[in-house]
Amino acid sequence: IPDRAKARRLSHRVFPNGTISDTDKTIFVSTSVELRNQIPYFHNNWDMWRQGVCAEGQQKMAMDPEFAEFLDPDGSAWFPFHTQSDFLMVPTKYAEKFAEAATLHLKHKIYIECAFGKIVDILQQQLQAPTRYVKLCTGFGARRGMWKAIHSCKSENVAILHPFKIRGRYDEFWEHADAINFPLELLEEA
């Protein structure tokens, strides 16, 4: 499934009465478990989704009267598919609305990877805030945070490395410092 199609299928809407639907409003259910079972190709096995720190909180938040100003014209709240949320830079002119939207997500204990997409959507819809994507080099499994992963990132023209934790590995860090000496142009282009 192409990324955009997958994201559309894995995104959902919640109405203030707690009803959850697919993005296109063709399937209506009362729980996120029902949503996962009824939407074709909704094969999201991401651990945080299964632990209930995304859709359940989003459902409660959409029902919260404080969230009413963020509802779409049809009365629902669209929640984008979770996204990598390691870094987000918010210009100060958007900080107040960002804090307001983020506070509601925190109130309903929505995991950051599920919150940032909606928070950015709110900034775009209400303030026409522009967004820029910065290519992030990350990895999972045995190479995560290891020098091998960092060296492989250098060939991918990335602007940000994640995760790399020095944690007492100072000598090793300086030994490999050239691996993280990325040209500044990558950040300027992003």
Side-chain angles (χ1 to χ4, degrees):
I1 300 173
D3 286 346
R4 284 190 181 276
K6 182 177 181 181
R8 185 166 181 77
R9 288 181 180 146
L10 297 178
S11 298
H12 60 281
R13 294 185 174 279
V14 182
F15 292 84
N17 68 359
T19 300
I20 303 172
S21 78
D22 61 324
T23 298
D24 297 324
K25 298 180 270 187
T26 59
I27 298 170
F28 296 89
V29 295
S30 59
T31 70
S32 62
V33 173
E34 290 176 86
L35 182 72
R36 288 192 298 267
N37 292 335
Q38 290 192 33
I39 294 181
Y41 308 108
F42 199 108
H43 48 81
N44 188 354
N45 292 321
W46 184 53
D47 197 40
M48 294 300 117
W49 184 274
R50 288 194 323 253
Q51 289 182 26
V53 294
C54 291
E56 288 79 354
Q58 291 166 337
Q59 186 178 28
K60 290 174 187 168
M61 186 170 67
M63 297 168 68
D64 186 332
E66 290 181 54
F67 190 74
E69 73 174 281
F70 302 122
L71 295 173
D72 291 343
D74 69 358
S76 72
W78 174 71
F79 290 99
F81 182 55
H82 67 267
T83 185
Q84 204 164 28
S85 302
D86 301 294
F87 305 94
L88 182 65
M89 305 198 57
V90 180
T92 53
K93 69 180 184 178
Y94 305 119
E96 190 175 318
K97 186 62 69 176
F98 173 85
E100 186 181 342
T103 298
L104 279 167
H105 283 77
L106 287 170
K107 175 182 176 182
H108 295 284
K109 299 181 171 98
I110 300 168
Y111 200 65
I112 191 169
E113 276 83 352
C114 299
F116 269 7
K118 183 60 185 175
I119 294 168
V120 169
D121 178 61
I122 287 169
L123 295 178
Q124 289 176 314
Q125 297 302 317
Q126 294 200 352
L127 305 174
Q128 291 71 50
T131 58
R132 285 191 330 180
Y133 172 78
V134 177
K135 189 169 181 188
L136 173 68
C137 185
T138 190
F140 299 93
R143 290 176 35 155
R144 185 174 176 98
M146 305 303 283
W147 285 109
K148 285 182 183 179
I150 291 170
H151 282 288
S152 71
C153 291
K154 193 167 185 177
S155 65
E156 295 181 24
N157 285 336
V158 298
I160 298 175
L161 298 173
H162 175 71
F164 182 74
K165 313 259 191 275
I166 296 175
R167 287 193 192 142
R169 297 171 13 189
Y170 303 109
D171 293 337
E172 183 184 2
F173 174 78
W174 290 113
E175 233 176 83
H176 294 272
D178 65 318
I180 57 171
N181 187 17
F182 289 95
L184 278 178
E185 302 86 57
L186 292 176
L187 287 172
E188 291 167 3
E189 291 171 10

